[in-house]
Amino acid sequence: SDLTQLKELLKNKKICALITEFPSNPLLNCHDLHELRRLADEYKFALIVDDTIGNFANVDLLSSGVADVVCTSLTKLFNGRGDAIAGSIICSEKTELGRALTEDMHLNHSEVELHDADARAIVCNSQDFLVRSGQINRTAEELADWLMTLDDVRNVYYPKFTQANQY
């Protein structure tokens, strides 16, 4: 497995960061983030998680301290209109490395890199994000349930069907 290969790699190589999606796109695979956190602590590397597909309304990666950094696209679901391009990086206050990265960001990267028009669009468009996210969740589950009833559909890659033990 990927986790076994990572453990073998870490025995001989030093890495500064591991970047993963949670869940992955497009198959919605969910890596064992708790084991990755344990390895990050043991081998002193940053665990950076992209939560764009799951998003913060569904997956809490910061308050649990599982990720040092969470990055997400603000262009897709959060903005919801496709009229602005942006992303976010949030460093966890729950991990030592996350706190150090937060301090570094404040000291060395304080300039705003977001165009004013994009910022205004995202603030305006994201006001209904939680409502839209809930509707997306319901619609996705209904679609997955329906697809499971079709004889012509061989596989449905939806978490409750592929990794039910994690939900």
Side-chain angles (χ1 to χ4, degrees):
S1 75
D2 291 342
L3 195 53
T4 302
Q5 290 176 340
L6 174 64
K7 289 176 183 178
E8 286 301 312
L9 174 88
L10 291 171
K11 290 178 184 176
N12 302 308
K13 302 249 185 207
K14 180 156 178 58
I15 64 172
C16 62
L18 184 141
I19 303 170
T20 188
E21 296 175 300
F22 189 84
S24 71
N25 184 14
L27 298 181
L28 303 177
N29 292 323
C30 297
H31 304 294
D32 185 344
L33 291 181
H34 295 287
E35 180 63 10
L36 292 177
R37 171 78 266 148
R38 190 192 68 72
L39 291 170
D41 291 339
E42 180 179 345
Y43 291 97
K44 307 293 187 227
F45 62 83
L47 180 55
I48 302 170
V49 181
D50 179 340
D51 75 345
T52 299
I53 297 299
N55 77 63
F56 70 87
N58 296 314
V59 181
D60 182 2
L61 299 170
L62 291 170
S63 67
S64 65
V66 73
D68 294 301
V69 177
V70 174
C71 58
T72 194
S73 169
L74 300 178
T75 301
K76 300 171 186 143
L77 294 175
F78 189 74
N79 180 41
R81 308 295 188 277
D83 59 355
I85 297 174
S88 67
I89 298 172
I90 303 171
C91 301
S92 175
E93 292 297 318
K94 299 282 185 173
T95 69
E96 184 178 334
L97 189 51
R99 289 187 297 275
L101 290 168
T102 297
E103 184 177 331
D104 180 71
M105 295 277 281
H106 288 295
L107 290 173
N108 299 307
H109 306 283
S110 61
E111 290 190 32
V112 175
E113 300 288 335
L114 186 59
H115 190 274
D116 287 347
D118 285 340
R120 282 190 297 277
I122 290 169
V123 166
C124 179
N125 296 343
S126 65
Q127 297 302 308
D128 64 347
F129 169 70
L130 293 176
V131 172
R132 286 186 290 108
S133 183
Q135 183 59 52
I136 289 166
N137 291 345
R138 288 185 296 279
T139 302
E141 185 169 12
E142 288 173 14
L143 177 59
D145 289 341
W146 175 72
L147 288 170
M148 287 293 288
T149 68
L150 302 179
D151 293 335
D152 293 337
V153 175
R154 184 173 35 183
N155 294 311
V156 176
Y157 295 101
Y158 187 75
K160 79 176 190 181
F161 300 128
T162 60
Q163 298 173 336
N165 62 328
Q166 295 183 23
Y167 296 90

